[in-house]
Amino acid sequence: MLDNKHVTAVITAAGNGSRMNSKINKPFIEICGKMIIEMTLDKICQVDEIDDIILVIRQTDEDNIKRIIKNYKKPITYVYGGKTREHSTFHGLKALSEKCDIVLTHDGVRPFVKAETIRKALYEIRDYKAVIVGVKSKDTVKIIRKDMTVNYTPKRKYVYNIQTPQVFEKDKLIELYEKYLEENVQMTDDSSLFEIFQIFDVAVKVVEGEYSNIKITTIEDVFFGKAMMELK
């Protein structure tokens, strides 16, 4: 609970291993002897403010997930994912209980998130309706035109690479997702909905994260993850 408000984490873990040429779905790839999804759940379960967890999975992974969630004391349920990451998240949102007030969304393949970062994002929801985690861009970013010529260069101090977790008031996020599905607009993360539709007078708050909070997408990411684990 956070200020007597029920908090549920929706973790999307329905990705496959195609970009790694792996027969194992990404959440179940092992890094130093532990599956990525287990590492992620370990971090989420460290945060007492989170009351329960909904995993969004591929149906073919159901047996694996059943075995894994038996090892955790925090209540964990699961639903099947959809055809896209956004549809999968919405499946998770539809499974939220009526008592849920705040929803935290997180990529199941971001196993190196710190519990303190999750808490920072949760605490900011006291003053904002939407909170996201990000890190300052290390690179200069160029905004380009369709013909691949440079349009302009934003000031780097204002450019952030956005990660998860992201935290929202449940009812507002669900309403925006329903509108997204009706209009089939393009989005890159959950918080983008607040920018696209602008039906709420909502400022999206950015919380400083850490560069180690990588998303395991390619085989190179697995190597980086192993290196981080071995440095601990």
Side-chain angles (χ1 to χ4, degrees):
M1 301 283 281
L2 179 68
D3 301 333
N4 293 317
K5 293 183 178 180
H6 187 98
V7 181
T8 299
V10 174
I11 303 176
T12 48
N16 60 39
S18 60
R19 291 176 67 178
M20 296 187 188
N21 294 319
S22 173
K23 295 180 180 179
I24 303 172
N25 289 341
K26 284 188 296 184
F28 302 95
I29 292 172
E30 289 190 1
I31 298 179
C32 296
K34 196 156 193 176
M35 286 183 281
I36 292 170
I37 190 61
E38 291 177 309
M39 297 164 64
T40 301
L41 286 172
D42 289 348
K43 295 296 180 62
I44 298 294
C45 288
Q46 288 177 23
V47 181
D48 293 336
E49 290 84 353
I50 295 175
D51 297 288
D52 54 8
I53 299 169
I54 297 173
L55 285 170
V56 186
I57 66 168
R58 294 168 69 93
Q59 188 170 354
T60 54
D61 294 325
E62 184 172 15
D63 289 341
N64 275 339
I65 284 295
K66 283 182 176 179
R67 286 192 292 268
I68 290 169
I69 63 178
K70 288 179 181 178
N71 299 319
Y72 295 90
K73 294 181 180 179
K74 198 180 289 288
I76 303 175
T77 57
Y78 61 86
V79 296
Y80 301 142
K83 59 184 179 180
T84 66
R85 186 262 181 195
E86 292 77 20
H87 282 86
S88 291
T89 299
F90 188 60
H91 287 188
L93 295 178
K94 289 192 294 183
L96 291 169
S97 68
E98 290 185 1
K99 63 184 178 182
C100 176
D101 303 294
I102 297 168
V103 57
L104 177 145
T105 61
H106 188 61
D107 296 318
V109 289
R110 284 191 190 270
F112 299 107
V113 64
K114 293 181 179 178
E116 62 192 69
T117 300
I118 299 171
R119 291 191 184 97
K120 282 196 300 184
L122 282 172
Y123 295 160
E124 288 290 347
I125 205 69
R126 292 165 168 163
D127 299 314
Y128 295 87
K129 309 298 183 185
V131 181
I132 60 179
V133 170
V135 291
K136 291 180 181 178
S137 175
K138 294 181 179 181
D139 300 314
T140 297
V141 174
K142 301 285 186 180
I143 307 301
I144 64 170
R145 304 181 183 90
K146 288 183 178 180
D147 65 356
M148 291 296 292
T149 59
V150 173
N151 187 0
Y152 67 95
T153 305
K155 290 185 178 180
R156 193 164 63 186
K157 67 178 179 178
Y158 297 126
V159 178
Y160 270 69
N161 298 322
I162 300 305
Q163 307 169 336
T164 65
Q166 302 188 357
V167 185
F168 308 94
E169 287 191 354
K170 179 192 74 173
D171 292 341
K172 287 181 172 54
L173 185 61
I174 289 176
E175 182 175 342
L176 287 174
Y177 253 99
E178 289 173 344
K179 192 171 179 64
Y180 158 78
L181 292 173
E182 287 177 5
E183 300 191 15
N184 196 28
V185 298
Q186 290 187 333
M187 58 180 278
T188 55
D189 73 329
D190 297 328
S191 70
S192 298
L193 293 170
F194 290 85
E195 304 165 39
I196 294 167
F197 294 117
Q198 297 182 342
I199 61 175
F200 302 114
D201 185 16
V202 173
V204 178
K205 174 69 172 180
V206 178
V207 169
E208 196 81 36
E210 59 273 342
Y211 293 103
S212 59
N213 183 19
I214 62 172
K215 185 176 181 180
I216 307 296
T217 304
T218 65
I219 191 64
E220 290 82 6
D221 298 326
V222 175
F223 294 144
F224 292 145
K226 287 180 178 178
M228 286 192 288
M229 291 284 285
E230 290 167 356
L231 286 172
K232 288 186 177 181

